Each structure stands twice: as C-alpha cells, then as structure tokens.
Amino acid sequence: MKRFASKILMATFFMILSPHAFASRIAAGRDHTCVVMEQHSARTDGDRTFPRILCFGDNHGYQLGREGDGGPQPRDTALPTSEDILPLGQAIHVSRITAGVAHSCALISGRAYCWGRMGRTMVKLPTLIRTMSGPLTGLVSIESGGSHACGSTGSALYCWGDNTYGQLGNGSREPVTALMARPVGDLSGTIEMLSLGLQHSCAVLRGGDAYCWGSNRTGQLGVADENLLSSASPLRVSIPSSPRSLWIVSGDHHTCVTDGERQWCWGDNHEGQLALSSDADLFRQPQPNPIAVHVPRENWFYMASGDLTCFSRLFGDHQMTCWGNLESSLLPRDAQEVYHSSGTDAPGWIAYHFTVPGVRSGDDTLSLSMGSRHACVASSLGFSCWGDPGHGRTGDGSFGMM
C-alpha cells in the first residue's frame, strides 16, 4: 500500500480528568470547534446530566458564543441557564451541536440557539431562534450550512440565516436580516434527515424521496438543467427507489446518499469527491444527475465536508476512508492508499484509509465531525482534533475539566 504524505500536525487530544464527565457531541466549523461536555450528577430525584458547551478557534464572527478574542483553549459559551429554557428545576439537554463558516448552533431541549455570523446577521451570544409567531419549539434535529441552518420538527422544516441563493427554501431569495426561521415550502411528509452544504440544503423524507434547494452552480441540487443556477423551492432528486431509509450528506458543493448498500452522488467533482470512474467524460466534471458510485463498504457512517467524501466505522477499530481533495489537511500522515481506478484518458480517483487520530484503546466514540480544514471526534475519555491548526481550530490540549 502506498503511503500518503500529509503536512498536518499530530492530533491534539483533550483528556477529561473527571470520571463523571464525558464529551457527548462535537462540531467542526471552518475555523472553530464546539464541544458539548456533560457531567453525571447524582440527585435524590435520579441521575441527570448538566451540559456545558465549550468552543475554541477563530472568533471574528463571535462563533465561539462569547465576546473577546478566540484561541486554541476551550472556554465556555454564554449558554442560557435551564431557567431560561425550562421551568425551574428541570435540567437542559443539548442533543445536537453544529458549526458553519462563522456560526454555531445547538439544539437545546427542542429549541435552537445560534451565535456568530449568518448572512447579514451577527449575534455575539447564543440566541433563541424564533418564527413570526414566537419561539421555534418541538425541534428534533438541526443542521448548519455555510451561513445558514435548518431545523426539523419531523412534520415541518424551518430554515434561517443567509438566503442569497434561496437556500432557506421559502420560495424567495430575499435577504433575512434577523435569525428568524421561515418554513420550507413544497415538502409533504415526515422529514427523516437534513444535509446542508455551503450554499444549498437537502432533506430526505420518509419513503426515500430526496429534495434539494439553493445554489445549483455545480449541479448540487441533483437537477440536470444548465440554466438553473439556483432554486428557492425544494426540487425532487431523481434517484432509484430503495426499500431502505436513505442517509444523506453534503460537502460544500456536492451531495451523496446511501441506503447502506448502494450510493449515489451528484454536484461538484473537481477534486474527485464523487468517486467516479476514470472515464474522461465523467472525471473531474460536475455531475447534476445522481450517479451510482462504487465504494466497497457497507453499513458504515457516511459523511462529507468541503471537497471530501468519507465513510467511517466509529466503533471497534475507528477506521475512516476518504476520497476527493487528497491535499486536504483532514488526512493524517499515516493515511494509506487502498484502491484506485486508472485509465488511458484520465488519472482516475484514489481513496485513502486511516485510523481516526486521537482515539484511544477502549474509548467509545460518540460523535465525529468534519470541517473544511480539520476534523474532531468526541468520546467517553475526551475529545481530539486533527488537521490545520491555524486560528486555534484544533485546540492546544490544555484542558482538564470538572
């Protein structure tokens, strides 16, 4: 097997000193990272977890959820107290943390809080997302794109933030000047999963239908119309029917889905992130139509970021395989070439395989997130980040909490 020489530094590992604490979720943005820390606390009314959100890296857009300079040392965001969210005495629950180019969002007890820069809006501290009629409640999932975010209640979908390309899906490209959630139109059914790119959004409905909206400059909506540069309303993606639920992921300008056995991808392919063959007519060209890709892995966790597509096995031996931008700082020094396709007219595509950096023996992996220049993993023993250390996005390891 061929070795890949990456320029990145070794992973930064943060050890949690208390046996009662663990890192439950983590999110890697463009130049920052946020992690959810929880601590078990025995009370007479049962065990509860009391979370903290710590962020580090760049803070020019206030994406760390506090005022002041950024840096590599994890520090608390200005999280609202439980009394601000729930009646007195009820513990809050952070079920999701996401990060974009210069913003972060958290799903806290069914409500979305965001901070940082999203389109024309910048907020310094975690701010409750609202609709025209009041706080947006009952959310079961949220995702972040470049400068926008979306949240689902299961039966309804809302988006907020930048709307330059119609990525909010409300039928308009009018700018939104506040963190005001708007309902996504033309979707009927139960929303199973969300996936947001830099300037586009996608959702999978129960039954397997996939819809995308926003920018279509590289075919990332899965619609073969060269005159369609963007759509402010959801468009159905034509993929083969599957009896299984679909898992959907998006990089900056491409999207892939899998049913656990088969995979389809569409959109930008200038770095080979769609894992197409070496056919000269396909290689490196944008693909507006979903194309079946042949990745020899089944039932692995599928993910994408920037110009990379990856799958990982988080439990057991903590393996990952990635393809696309092979100069990416997300690939560690010991990444090895595992398979490739070559031809006479084009160089083919290459994938690299590696063990998730920073994960230790006996460690239970709880969350893995990829940014455009770094990636992070949260586990029962701590959390680690690897990649480009610029702006302090991978941290400095100076952490021992609770």
Side-chain angles (χ1 to χ4, degrees), residues 267-340:
D268 186 25
N269 192 44
H270 79 283
E271 293 286 356
Q273 57 266 50
L274 302 190
L276 299 180
S277 71
S278 59
D279 188 311
D281 294 330
L282 295 178
F283 192 76
R284 306 296 189 193
Q285 299 299 316
Q287 298 299 318
N289 286 317
I291 293 181
V293 298
H294 304 287
V295 180
R297 290 289 188 275
E298 296 181 5
N299 301 318
W300 283 40
F301 178 66
Y302 213 30
M303 58 197 312
S305 181
D307 301 326
L308 274 179
T309 309
C310 302
F311 53 77
S312 63
R313 187 165 59 211
L314 295 184
F315 302 99
D317 53 4
H318 308 289
Q319 300 297 299
M320 284 189 72
T321 298
C322 296
W323 57 96
N325 181 9
L326 299 179
E327 295 300 319
S328 172
S329 56
L330 292 174
L331 299 178
R333 288 193 181 101
D334 61 352
Q336 296 180 319
E337 182 182 322
V338 289
Y339 52 87
H340 63 90

Side-chain angles (χ1 to χ4, degrees), residues 43-104:
R43 298 286 182 88
T44 56
D45 54 352
D47 284 349
R48 291 178 174 174
T49 58
F50 295 86
R52 296 164 64 187
I53 296 179
L54 300 104
C55 298
F56 48 94
D58 183 47
N59 198 35
H60 283 95
Y62 297 102
Q63 59 265 51
L64 304 188
R66 60 177 184 268
E67 296 189 63
D69 295 333
Q73 185 175 9
R75 296 179 180 175
D76 285 283
T77 63
L79 255 188
T81 65
S82 59
E83 288 76 14
D84 295 327
I85 304 172
L86 297 172
L88 184 65
Q90 295 187 30
I92 64 174
H93 176 58
V94 182
S95 55
R96 180 80 171 135
I97 185 79
T98 65
V101 170
H103 78 273
S104 310

Side-chain angles (χ1 to χ4, degrees), residues 227-290:
N227 297 316
L228 182 69
L229 298 182
S230 67
S231 175
S233 299
L235 300 175
R236 186 177 180 275
V237 182
S238 296
I239 55 178
S241 61
S242 173
R244 299 185 176 199
S245 297
L246 293 178
W247 182 282
I248 188 166
V249 296
S250 295
D252 280 356
H253 306 291
H254 74 287
T255 300
C256 296
V257 297
T258 180
D259 63 2
E261 293 182 347
R262 300 172 295 171
Q263 299 87 26
W264 299 268
C265 294
W266 60 90
D268 186 25
N269 192 44
H270 79 283
E271 293 286 356
Q273 57 266 50
L274 302 190
L276 299 180
S277 71
S278 59
D279 188 311
D281 294 330
L282 295 178
F283 192 76
R284 306 296 189 193
Q285 299 299 316
Q287 298 299 318
N289 286 317

Side-chain angles (χ1 to χ4, degrees), residues 202-217:
C202 297
V204 167
L205 305 186
R206 182 171 296 171
D209 286 339
Y211 291 81
C212 295
W213 58 96
S215 175
N216 193 45
R217 292 179 179 272

